[in-house]
Amino acid sequence: MTEIILKDNVEQSKIDALLAFLKSSDIDVELRTVSSKKSTKTTKFSLSKGIWSDYSINSEELRDKAWKR
């Protein structure tokens, strides 16, 4: 099985034209529409990872300095 995934919202007329083209070439086509799931999971901001691990600053101080600019 080969899948073709259209990631952007495509006009229905263009989808119909693509299906007609594939069917005219004797390619078995099935159209499935799946709604994309957006992640609502939030993760805690951690200074222990990455470039801030060697500095003695907490996340609140970092946020305060960043938002005062």
Side-chain angles (χ1 to χ4, degrees), residues 13-14 16-17 20-22 30 32 49 52 56 60 65:
S13 61
K14 292 179 180 179
D16 293 340
F21 170 75
L22 294 172
E30 179 181 332
R32 287 189 227 163
K49 297 181 182 175
W52 298 106
S56 60
E60 290 302 319
K65 287 183 180 182

Side-chain angles (χ1 to χ4, degrees), residues 12 16 18-19 22 25 30 35-36 42-43 46 48 55 69:
Q12 186 62 42
D16 293 340
L18 178 61
L19 293 174
L22 294 172
S25 299
E30 179 181 332
S35 61
S36 62
T42 59
T43 58
S46 174
S48 63
Y55 296 92
R69 291 183 179 185

Side-chain angles (χ1 to χ4, degrees), residues 2-60:
T2 302
E3 291 184 0
I4 297 175
I5 299 172
L6 304 175
K7 293 186 177 185
D8 293 329
N9 289 334
V10 180
E11 296 173 22
Q12 186 62 42
S13 61
K14 292 179 180 179
I15 293 173
D16 293 340
L18 178 61
L19 293 174
F21 170 75
L22 294 172
K23 288 179 182 178
S24 70
S25 299
D26 293 328
I27 298 174
D28 189 24
V29 180
E30 179 181 332
L31 177 64
R32 287 189 227 163
T33 305
V34 179
S35 61
S36 62
K37 296 179 184 177
K38 293 187 178 181
S39 175
T40 58
K41 181 181 177 183
T42 59
T43 58
K44 185 178 178 183
F45 180 72
S46 174
L47 291 175
S48 63
K49 297 181 182 175
I51 63 172
W52 298 106
S53 61
D54 297 333
Y55 296 92
S56 60
I57 187 169
N58 67 27
S59 59
E60 290 302 319

